[in-house]
Short mmCIF file of all heavy atoms in Angstrom, two decimals:
data_model
loop_
_atom_site.label_atom_id
_atom_site.label_comp_id
_atom_site.label_asym_id
_atom_site.label_seq_id
_atom_site.Cartn_x
_atom_site.Cartn_y
_atom_site.Cartn_z
N ASP A 1 137.44 36.09 106.41
CA ASP A 1 138.13 35.29 107.40
C ASP A 1 138.58 33.99 106.71
O ASP A 1 138.17 33.64 105.62
CB ASP A 1 137.21 35.00 108.60
CG ASP A 1 135.92 34.17 108.25
OD1 ASP A 1 136.08 33.30 107.50
OD2 ASP A 1 134.90 34.48 108.86
N PRO A 2 139.47 33.20 107.43
CA PRO A 2 140.03 32.06 106.77
C PRO A 2 138.97 31.08 106.25
O PRO A 2 139.15 30.45 105.24
CB PRO A 2 140.90 31.42 107.90
CG PRO A 2 141.28 32.59 108.80
CD PRO A 2 140.09 33.50 108.74
N LYS A 3 137.89 30.82 107.00
CA LYS A 3 136.87 29.87 106.59
C LYS A 3 136.24 30.41 105.25
O LYS A 3 135.94 29.63 104.37
CB LYS A 3 135.80 29.70 107.69
CG LYS A 3 134.69 28.76 107.32
CD LYS A 3 133.74 28.48 108.49
CE LYS A 3 132.65 27.52 108.19
NZ LYS A 3 131.75 28.06 107.22
N GLN A 4 135.91 31.71 105.23
CA GLN A 4 135.30 32.23 104.12
C GLN A 4 136.20 32.21 102.89
O GLN A 4 135.78 32.00 101.71
CB GLN A 4 134.88 33.72 104.36
CG GLN A 4 133.77 33.85 105.30
CD GLN A 4 133.54 35.26 105.79
OE1 GLN A 4 134.44 36.08 105.76
NE2 GLN A 4 132.28 35.60 106.20
N ILE A 5 137.54 32.46 103.06
CA ILE A 5 138.54 32.40 102.04
C ILE A 5 138.46 30.98 101.41
O ILE A 5 138.49 30.82 100.19
CB ILE A 5 139.94 32.72 102.55
CG1 ILE A 5 140.01 34.20 102.83
CG2 ILE A 5 141.03 32.29 101.52
CD1 ILE A 5 141.28 34.65 103.48
N ILE A 6 138.50 29.90 102.23
CA ILE A 6 138.50 28.58 101.68
C ILE A 6 137.15 28.32 100.90
O ILE A 6 137.23 27.65 99.88
CB ILE A 6 138.58 27.53 102.90
CG1 ILE A 6 139.96 27.67 103.50
CG2 ILE A 6 138.38 26.14 102.42
CD1 ILE A 6 140.17 26.84 104.80
N GLU A 7 136.04 28.83 101.39
CA GLU A 7 134.78 28.61 100.71
C GLU A 7 134.83 29.27 99.30
O GLU A 7 134.40 28.71 98.29
CB GLU A 7 133.67 29.20 101.51
CG GLU A 7 133.39 28.39 102.79
CD GLU A 7 132.36 29.04 103.68
OE1 GLU A 7 131.97 30.25 103.45
OE2 GLU A 7 131.87 28.42 104.65
N ILE A 8 135.32 30.56 99.26
CA ILE A 8 135.38 31.27 97.96
C ILE A 8 136.42 30.64 97.08
O ILE A 8 136.21 30.51 95.81
CB ILE A 8 135.68 32.73 98.20
CG1 ILE A 8 134.60 33.47 98.99
CG2 ILE A 8 135.98 33.47 96.84
CD1 ILE A 8 133.24 33.47 98.26
N ARG A 9 137.49 30.09 97.61
CA ARG A 9 138.58 29.41 96.83
C ARG A 9 137.95 28.22 96.16
O ARG A 9 138.15 27.98 95.03
CB ARG A 9 139.66 29.06 97.76
CG ARG A 9 140.83 28.33 97.07
CD ARG A 9 141.83 27.85 98.04
NE ARG A 9 142.47 28.95 98.76
CZ ARG A 9 143.23 28.81 99.86
NH1 ARG A 9 143.49 27.51 100.31
NH2 ARG A 9 143.80 29.80 100.40
N ASN A 10 137.18 27.46 96.95
CA ASN A 10 136.56 26.21 96.37
C ASN A 10 135.56 26.60 95.34
O ASN A 10 135.41 25.87 94.31
CB ASN A 10 135.91 25.38 97.49
CG ASN A 10 136.93 24.72 98.43
OD1 ASN A 10 138.07 24.51 98.07
ND2 ASN A 10 136.50 24.48 99.66
N LEU A 11 134.84 27.68 95.51
CA LEU A 11 133.83 28.12 94.54
C LEU A 11 134.52 28.50 93.24
O LEU A 11 134.06 28.11 92.12
CB LEU A 11 133.05 29.35 95.06
CG LEU A 11 132.16 30.05 94.05
CD1 LEU A 11 131.08 29.04 93.52
CD2 LEU A 11 131.50 31.24 94.75
N ILE A 12 135.66 29.17 93.29
CA ILE A 12 136.39 29.53 92.15
C ILE A 12 136.91 28.35 91.37
O ILE A 12 136.85 28.32 90.13
CB ILE A 12 137.58 30.53 92.51
CG1 ILE A 12 137.03 31.84 92.93
CG2 ILE A 12 138.50 30.78 91.32
CD1 ILE A 12 138.13 32.78 93.60
N LYS A 13 137.42 27.36 92.12
CA LYS A 13 137.87 26.08 91.49
C LYS A 13 136.78 25.46 90.76
O LYS A 13 136.90 24.95 89.63
CB LYS A 13 138.41 25.23 92.58
CG LYS A 13 139.84 25.43 93.03
CD LYS A 13 140.24 24.37 94.08
CE LYS A 13 141.58 24.57 94.50
NZ LYS A 13 142.08 23.50 95.49
N ASN A 14 135.55 25.45 91.34
CA ASN A 14 134.38 24.80 90.74
C ASN A 14 133.96 25.61 89.52
O ASN A 14 133.68 24.98 88.46
CB ASN A 14 133.19 24.82 91.73
CG ASN A 14 132.06 23.98 91.30
OD1 ASN A 14 132.19 23.07 90.45
ND2 ASN A 14 130.83 24.28 91.71
N LEU A 15 134.04 26.87 89.52
CA LEU A 15 133.69 27.73 88.36
C LEU A 15 134.70 27.54 87.26
O LEU A 15 134.37 27.71 86.11
CB LEU A 15 133.61 29.21 88.79
CG LEU A 15 132.47 29.61 89.70
CD1 LEU A 15 132.65 31.07 90.12
CD2 LEU A 15 131.14 29.43 89.04
N GLY A 16 135.91 27.24 87.53
CA GLY A 16 136.96 27.04 86.58
C GLY A 16 136.78 25.85 85.69
O GLY A 16 137.42 25.71 84.66
N ARG A 17 135.82 24.91 86.02
CA ARG A 17 135.58 23.80 85.17
C ARG A 17 134.85 24.24 83.88
O ARG A 17 134.89 23.54 82.89
CB ARG A 17 134.72 22.77 85.85
CG ARG A 17 135.40 22.23 87.15
CD ARG A 17 134.35 21.44 87.95
NE ARG A 17 134.94 20.91 89.18
CZ ARG A 17 134.22 20.30 90.19
NH1 ARG A 17 132.95 20.15 90.01
NH2 ARG A 17 134.81 19.91 91.24
N ASN A 18 134.11 25.42 84.00
CA ASN A 18 133.33 25.80 82.79
C ASN A 18 133.59 27.24 82.32
O ASN A 18 132.89 27.72 81.52
CB ASN A 18 131.80 25.67 83.17
CG ASN A 18 131.43 24.27 83.58
OD1 ASN A 18 131.63 23.35 82.77
ND2 ASN A 18 130.80 24.05 84.74
N HIS A 19 134.50 27.92 82.97
CA HIS A 19 134.85 29.32 82.65
C HIS A 19 136.29 29.51 82.56
O HIS A 19 137.14 28.83 83.22
CB HIS A 19 134.25 30.18 83.72
CG HIS A 19 132.78 30.15 83.93
ND1 HIS A 19 131.91 30.89 83.27
CD2 HIS A 19 132.04 29.30 84.72
CE1 HIS A 19 130.67 30.65 83.57
NE2 HIS A 19 130.69 29.67 84.51
N THR A 20 136.73 30.50 81.74
CA THR A 20 138.06 31.04 81.78
C THR A 20 138.07 32.15 82.91
O THR A 20 137.23 33.05 82.90
CB THR A 20 138.43 31.68 80.47
OG1 THR A 20 138.32 30.64 79.45
CG2 THR A 20 139.81 32.22 80.47
N ILE A 21 139.03 32.08 83.83
CA ILE A 21 139.03 33.01 84.98
C ILE A 21 140.37 33.70 85.07
O ILE A 21 141.41 33.12 84.99
CB ILE A 21 138.77 32.19 86.30
CG1 ILE A 21 137.37 31.52 86.17
CG2 ILE A 21 138.84 33.10 87.44
CD1 ILE A 21 137.08 30.69 87.43
N ILE A 22 140.31 35.04 85.23
CA ILE A 22 141.47 35.82 85.60
C ILE A 22 141.24 36.29 87.05
O ILE A 22 140.27 36.93 87.37
CB ILE A 22 141.65 37.05 84.73
CG1 ILE A 22 141.91 36.64 83.28
CG2 ILE A 22 142.86 37.90 85.22
CD1 ILE A 22 142.13 37.74 82.33
N LEU A 23 142.18 35.88 87.89
CA LEU A 23 142.03 36.17 89.32
C LEU A 23 143.20 37.03 89.79
O LEU A 23 144.31 36.70 89.70
CB LEU A 23 142.04 34.85 90.14
CG LEU A 23 142.17 34.91 91.67
CD1 LEU A 23 140.97 35.50 92.28
CD2 LEU A 23 142.40 33.48 92.20
N SER A 24 142.83 38.20 90.35
CA SER A 24 143.88 39.06 90.95
C SER A 24 143.77 38.90 92.44
O SER A 24 142.68 38.98 93.09
CB SER A 24 143.60 40.55 90.57
OG SER A 24 144.39 41.39 91.23
N SER A 25 144.90 38.78 93.08
CA SER A 25 145.01 38.59 94.55
C SER A 25 146.35 38.93 95.13
O SER A 25 147.39 38.84 94.42
CB SER A 25 144.62 37.16 94.93
OG SER A 25 144.64 36.98 96.33
N HIS A 26 146.34 39.42 96.41
CA HIS A 26 147.54 39.63 97.12
C HIS A 26 147.93 38.43 97.93
O HIS A 26 149.04 38.33 98.39
CB HIS A 26 147.43 40.83 98.06
CG HIS A 26 147.48 42.16 97.43
ND1 HIS A 26 146.33 42.87 97.08
CD2 HIS A 26 148.46 42.93 96.94
CE1 HIS A 26 146.68 43.98 96.49
NE2 HIS A 26 147.91 44.03 96.44
N ILE A 27 147.02 37.40 98.03
CA ILE A 27 147.32 36.28 98.85
C ILE A 27 147.92 35.19 97.93
O ILE A 27 147.23 34.50 97.18
CB ILE A 27 145.92 35.71 99.47
CG1 ILE A 27 145.27 36.87 100.23
CG2 ILE A 27 146.23 34.58 100.35
CD1 ILE A 27 143.91 36.59 100.74
N LEU A 28 149.22 35.04 98.08
CA LEU A 28 149.97 34.13 97.11
C LEU A 28 149.59 32.70 97.34
O LEU A 28 149.57 31.91 96.37
CB LEU A 28 151.43 34.37 97.27
CG LEU A 28 151.89 35.83 96.98
CD1 LEU A 28 153.40 35.90 96.99
CD2 LEU A 28 151.38 36.33 95.66
N SER A 29 149.27 32.27 98.56
CA SER A 29 148.93 30.95 98.79
C SER A 29 147.61 30.57 98.14
O SER A 29 147.42 29.43 97.66
CB SER A 29 148.79 30.64 100.32
OG SER A 29 147.81 31.57 100.89
N GLU A 30 146.71 31.58 98.04
CA GLU A 30 145.44 31.36 97.35
C GLU A 30 145.67 31.17 95.92
O GLU A 30 145.07 30.29 95.25
CB GLU A 30 144.61 32.68 97.57
CG GLU A 30 143.27 32.70 96.80
CD GLU A 30 142.53 34.00 96.94
OE1 GLU A 30 142.26 34.26 98.18
OE2 GLU A 30 142.32 34.71 96.10
N VAL A 31 146.57 32.03 95.31
CA VAL A 31 146.86 31.88 93.86
C VAL A 31 147.53 30.52 93.52
O VAL A 31 147.13 29.83 92.59
CB VAL A 31 147.84 32.99 93.41
CG1 VAL A 31 148.33 32.81 91.98
CG2 VAL A 31 147.10 34.38 93.47
N GLN A 32 148.42 30.12 94.42
CA GLN A 32 149.11 28.86 94.18
C GLN A 32 148.10 27.68 94.28
O GLN A 32 148.21 26.66 93.60
CB GLN A 32 150.22 28.68 95.26
CG GLN A 32 151.24 27.63 94.88
CD GLN A 32 152.56 27.92 95.44
OE1 GLN A 32 152.77 28.67 96.34
NE2 GLN A 32 153.64 27.29 94.89
N ALA A 33 147.13 27.80 95.16
CA ALA A 33 146.14 26.74 95.34
C ALA A 33 145.12 26.62 94.29
O ALA A 33 144.62 25.51 93.90
CB ALA A 33 145.42 26.92 96.73
N VAL A 34 144.78 27.80 93.65
CA VAL A 34 143.66 27.87 92.72
C VAL A 34 144.11 27.90 91.24
O VAL A 34 143.53 27.24 90.37
CB VAL A 34 142.78 29.01 93.00
CG1 VAL A 34 141.66 29.23 91.93
CG2 VAL A 34 142.10 28.87 94.35
N CYS A 35 145.17 28.63 90.99
CA CYS A 35 145.54 28.99 89.53
C CYS A 35 146.47 27.97 88.94
O CYS A 35 147.38 27.46 89.57
CB CYS A 35 146.09 30.43 89.51
SG CYS A 35 145.07 31.68 90.19
N GLU A 36 146.32 27.84 87.58
CA GLU A 36 147.15 26.90 86.88
C GLU A 36 148.35 27.73 86.23
O GLU A 36 149.37 27.10 85.90
CB GLU A 36 146.38 26.36 85.69
CG GLU A 36 145.11 25.62 86.08
CD GLU A 36 144.12 25.54 85.01
OE1 GLU A 36 144.48 25.74 83.80
OE2 GLU A 36 142.91 25.27 85.32
N ARG A 37 148.24 29.06 86.17
CA ARG A 37 149.29 29.83 85.51
C ARG A 37 149.28 31.16 86.18
O ARG A 37 148.28 31.66 86.84
CB ARG A 37 148.86 30.01 84.05
CG ARG A 37 149.82 30.96 83.23
CD ARG A 37 149.29 31.11 81.83
NE ARG A 37 149.84 32.18 81.13
CZ ARG A 37 149.27 32.84 80.11
NH1 ARG A 37 148.10 32.37 79.63
NH2 ARG A 37 149.90 33.84 79.50
N VAL A 38 150.46 31.80 86.27
CA VAL A 38 150.63 33.07 86.92
C VAL A 38 151.33 34.03 86.01
O VAL A 38 152.20 33.78 85.34
CB VAL A 38 151.51 32.91 88.17
CG1 VAL A 38 151.86 34.22 88.82
CG2 VAL A 38 150.84 32.00 89.24
N ILE A 39 150.72 35.30 86.05
CA ILE A 39 151.45 36.42 85.43
C ILE A 39 151.75 37.46 86.47
O ILE A 39 150.86 37.73 87.36
CB ILE A 39 150.49 37.09 84.37
CG1 ILE A 39 150.49 36.24 83.07
CG2 ILE A 39 150.94 38.52 84.02
CD1 ILE A 39 149.59 36.78 81.98
N ILE A 40 152.91 37.94 86.51
CA ILE A 40 153.42 38.99 87.45
C ILE A 40 153.79 40.25 86.77
O ILE A 40 154.51 40.18 85.79
CB ILE A 40 154.59 38.48 88.31
CG1 ILE A 40 154.22 37.14 89.04
CG2 ILE A 40 154.97 39.55 89.33
CD1 ILE A 40 155.36 36.56 89.82
N ILE A 41 153.16 41.32 87.23
CA ILE A 41 153.53 42.65 86.63
C ILE A 41 154.16 43.54 87.72
O ILE A 41 153.77 43.38 88.88
CB ILE A 41 152.37 43.40 85.90
CG1 ILE A 41 151.34 43.81 86.89
CG2 ILE A 41 151.79 42.50 84.85
CD1 ILE A 41 150.26 44.68 86.27
N ASN A 42 155.00 44.45 87.32
CA ASN A 42 155.66 45.34 88.33
C ASN A 42 155.94 46.61 87.64
O ASN A 42 156.49 46.67 86.50
CB ASN A 42 157.01 44.76 88.86
CG ASN A 42 157.58 45.55 89.95
OD1 ASN A 42 156.80 46.08 90.84
ND2 ASN A 42 158.90 45.72 89.97
N SER A 43 155.45 47.75 88.17
CA SER A 43 155.62 49.06 87.65
C SER A 43 155.09 49.18 86.22
O SER A 43 155.75 49.72 85.36
CB SER A 43 157.14 49.49 87.63
OG SER A 43 157.62 49.52 88.96
N GLY A 44 153.98 48.45 85.97
CA GLY A 44 153.31 48.54 84.63
C GLY A 44 153.89 47.63 83.62
O GLY A 44 153.38 47.61 82.50
N LYS A 45 154.88 46.82 83.97
CA LYS A 45 155.50 45.87 83.03
C LYS A 45 155.29 44.42 83.38
O LYS A 45 155.34 44.05 84.60
CB LYS A 45 156.98 46.14 82.84
CG LYS A 45 157.27 47.57 82.25
CD LYS A 45 158.77 47.73 82.06
CE LYS A 45 159.14 49.03 81.33
NZ LYS A 45 160.57 49.16 81.10
#
């Protein structure tokens, strides 16, 4: 749910201080809020 998403998002941000993270998601607002860089693939490319 939205509250849980925000909690997990904040946790990932916190973990990013000490870890390299690859995050896969369909929620683009989440990616934009959390990630510094984006890779997009389509049809395997």
Side-chain angles (χ1 to χ4, degrees):
D1 64 37
K3 181 175 181 293
Q4 292 169 334
I5 288 175
I6 292 173
E7 291 173 348
I8 297 297
R9 180 188 297 170
N10 290 336
L11 173 59
I12 293 170
K13 282 184 178 180
N14 190 27
L15 293 173
R17 298 172 185 171
N18 300 307
H19 299 269
T20 300
I21 299 176
I22 297 181
L23 168 67
S24 171
S25 178
H26 284 98
I27 305 173
L28 301 186
S29 59
E30 173 183 301
V31 172
Q32 197 151 17
V34 173
C35 300
E36 306 157 17
R37 176 182 163 204
V38 173
I39 283 178
I40 301 177
I41 66 170
N42 188 40
S43 300
K45 293 184 177 182

